[in-house]
Amino acid sequence: MFDFDGGAIVSAANASPAFRMNAKYWTADVLFRLGDEAYLLQMRDGEAKSFGRAHGDEAVQITISGPAESWEKLLLPVPPPPYDEPLLIGQRVGFKIDGDVANEIAPYYAALRDVIDVLRHARSGPSPERGVADVTRKFDSVVGRYMYIDIRGVQHRVYFEEAGSGPVTLILQHTAAADNRQWRHLMEDPDFQRMFRMVSYDLPYHGKSVPPTSVKWWEEQYRLTKDDLIATVVAIADALELDRPVYMGCSVGGFLAPDLALARPDRFRAVVGINAGLGMDLGHWPYDVENSYLSPRVGGGWRGAVNVGFTAPTSPEALRREVGWVYSQSAPSVMYGDIHYYVHDHRLTEEEASRIDTSKVAVYLLTCEYDALAYEDGTAVLARAIEGSHFQIVPSLGHFGPAENPEDFKQALLPLFEDIAKLP
């Protein structure tokens, strides 16, 4: 039994500055199905007008449904995985969101998340907050510049940053539709700077790396392929004249780690895949969400809100929001194009993974507890296929561990880096 006070929910929502900004101009009826109970939220021109029990047969634009026990965990002060995000990973525990993704859900998904926060506070009280301390330095030590590299016959101007003076170079690949700002905390860590020379870059079409000038890129759909990604990372390593560097990537970059280990074991001494796997389950893939990233009706706020949802509720709120901020700034087609590799072109099989020779290139797999691959059918399958690989689950972190919670992620990363630094 949930028994929400509708008037209190409306007042709390309308009093929330975040909700008022995210819900601007929103007019819709939203049905919340909590097991056998149903509540109807009525939004009119950006203001919550009513929230109360419903029969469940009302004509609505959006329905969020799930078993009562799943809602009970979602509305805890700190929801456990995978109950924290109803859009995608929540499907594992029965959550479902129905409605027109591009026209109804995407434009106001951030506001929908705010409503769930209001319901959580009403049921369980305030969630614990974790702040981020200000730094004491006046300037960062990271230095940025551009390089010109040839990628499969096309010249690209690629932005990169570097820091650290260690004897081994660590190159860092950002996630889909993001850029190297995700590595800013790791790049400034003095322990890591002593161990490695660190290089983080923006893929072509991402961040400060603008599209090439020699092709009419505006006349074709941008798509990131496995061959493109491998060629880019190798070209960067070649341009910087790196001798068997260590590669580390997250999400899309995590998927690339085993692809690199299989395709170019001669070029890297170790690969580190954060939230890596054989490939996504296409049988449960939300193609309507994927296609929404191309809709001109959907702005950057949709990308930001979705990816804040993939961070862990245990991570500092300011850094979770920073993840969303970076995602909201990518070009409209880049998220869709990067998903091409993440979902469709990275189709590593167990047999292929078993051919990775860890005596030539060491393989480390770190998957965060709140990630969709933190289950026996996820990264664990890849790890079992690669003989000699190292695999561990990092507790209490989400899909963007190094960016959303660098302090806690370091606890898992430092011992691993100490091991890597000893590799011949």
Side-chain angles (χ1 to χ4, degrees):
M1 190 73 176
F2 291 91
D3 197 25
F4 291 110
D5 181 335
I9 297 299
V10 167
S11 296
N14 288 331
S16 165
F19 175 77
R20 293 303 293 263
M21 287 191 294
N22 293 327
K24 197 172 182 64
Y25 308 123
W26 190 18
T27 294
D29 291 338
V30 182
L31 186 66
F32 295 82
R33 288 186 178 274
L34 300 83
D36 295 332
E37 299 181 53
Y39 285 85
L40 181 67
L41 169 68
Q42 292 188 314
M43 292 294 306
R44 297 295 181 267
D45 196 23
E47 184 176 359
K49 289 297 185 180
S50 67
F51 183 86
R53 290 192 177 273
H55 299 293
D57 56 357
E58 292 85 351
V60 299
Q61 285 69 52
I62 301 170
T63 300
I64 304 179
S65 58
E69 57 269 24
S70 295
W71 276 99
E72 288 170 356
K73 292 180 179 179
L74 173 63
L75 299 181
L76 289 171
V78 180
Y83 298 91
D84 59 303
E85 171 53 50
L87 179 62
L88 293 176
I89 191 172
Q91 293 177 7
R92 280 183 172 268
V93 290
F95 281 113
K96 186 179 180 183
I97 300 183
D98 293 303
D100 186 316
V101 173
N103 292 301
E104 300 290 350
I105 297 173
Y108 293 106
Y109 189 65
L112 282 169
R113 288 183 50 82
D114 293 334
V115 174
I116 291 174
D117 286 342
V118 169
L119 297 179
R120 177 178 296 116
H121 189 278
R123 182 170 176 82
S124 301
S127 299
E129 295 185 9
R130 182 173 177 178
V132 179
D134 288 343
V135 301
T136 57
R137 59 187 178 270
K138 186 174 183 179
F139 298 104
D140 275 356
S141 57
V142 167
V143 175
R145 60 186 302 192
Y146 289 88
M147 71 174 84
Y148 287 91
I149 59 174
D150 184 281
I151 303 173
R152 305 180 73 189
V154 177
Q155 186 185 77
H156 289 266
R157 182 175 184 256
V158 171
Y159 177 73
F160 72 102
E161 295 177 344
E162 55 185 319
S165 56
V168 176
T169 300
L170 171 69
I171 57 177
L172 300 164
Q173 171 64 59
H174 57 74
T175 65
D179 55 60
N180 76 343
R181 282 176 290 179
Q182 293 181 324
W183 298 110
R184 70 181 188 90
H185 308 284
L186 185 144
M187 296 272 285
E188 287 297 328
D189 189 289
D191 291 324
F192 297 149
Q193 288 183 350
R194 284 190 292 269
M195 300 170 76
F196 297 101
R197 172 196 178 193
M198 294 176 284
V199 175
S200 63
Y201 49 87
D202 295 345
L203 284 178
Y205 299 89
H206 297 67
K208 293 186 176 70
S209 296
V210 295
T213 56
S214 61
V215 298
K216 293 184 178 181
W217 53 267
W218 56 91
E219 293 183 352
E220 59 188 45
Q221 174 61 53
Y222 163 77
R223 277 192 175 87
L224 182 65
T225 69
K226 179 175 69 175
D227 290 343
D228 290 336
L229 202 43
I230 290 174
T232 299
V233 175
V234 171
I236 290 171
D238 289 347
L240 296 175
E241 300 180 352
L242 304 182
D243 178 24
R244 296 181 64 239
V246 176
Y247 167 87
M248 183 164 73
C250 182
S251 185
V252 157
F255 277 18
L256 183 61
D259 282 343
L260 280 175
L262 182 62
R264 295 301 306 268
D266 59 309
R267 197 64 188 84
F268 303 90
R269 72 182 63 200
V271 296
V272 183
I274 303 170
N275 301 323
L278 290 173
M280 298 303 292
D281 180 1
L282 294 181
H284 294 90
W285 181 250
Y287 288 96
D288 52 353
V289 172
E290 177 183 354
N291 293 331
S292 74
Y293 294 125
L294 282 182
S295 172
R297 297 181 175 89
V298 178
W302 167 228
R303 297 188 296 274
V306 166
N307 287 287
V308 169
F310 294 153
T311 61
T314 50
S315 294
E317 184 73 10
L319 298 185
R320 298 178 69 197
R321 298 290 181 173
E322 183 177 300
V323 167
W325 178 262
V326 169
Y327 262 95
S328 69
Q329 296 175 18
S330 62
S333 64
V334 169
M335 186 72 167
Y336 180 85
D338 284 356
I339 285 176
H340 175 76
Y341 167 73
Y342 186 73
V343 177
H344 306 290
D345 209 23
H346 172 79
R347 309 305 304 167
L348 194 65
T349 67
E350 291 181 63
E351 190 278 328
E352 288 172 328
S354 71
R355 299 205 304 265
I356 294 173
D357 187 347
T358 54
S359 69
K360 296 179 179 178
V361 54
V363 176
Y364 298 83
L365 304 171
L366 297 177
T367 295
C368 299
E369 183 183 19
Y370 278 88
D371 189 77
L373 293 170
Y375 301 92
E376 279 303 306
D377 59 348
T379 308
V381 179
L382 172 64
R384 288 193 293 268
I386 304 175
E387 184 177 356
S389 63
H390 169 94
F391 169 53
Q392 69 185 85
I393 298 291
V394 184
S396 302
L397 275 78
H399 189 64
F400 306 97
E404 70 180 68
N405 195 339
E407 182 179 342
D408 288 2
F409 195 78
K410 180 179 179 180
Q411 305 310 308
L413 201 56
L414 190 56
L416 182 150
F417 274 1
E418 290 172 345
D419 188 44
I420 290 174
K422 299 172 185 175
L423 292 173

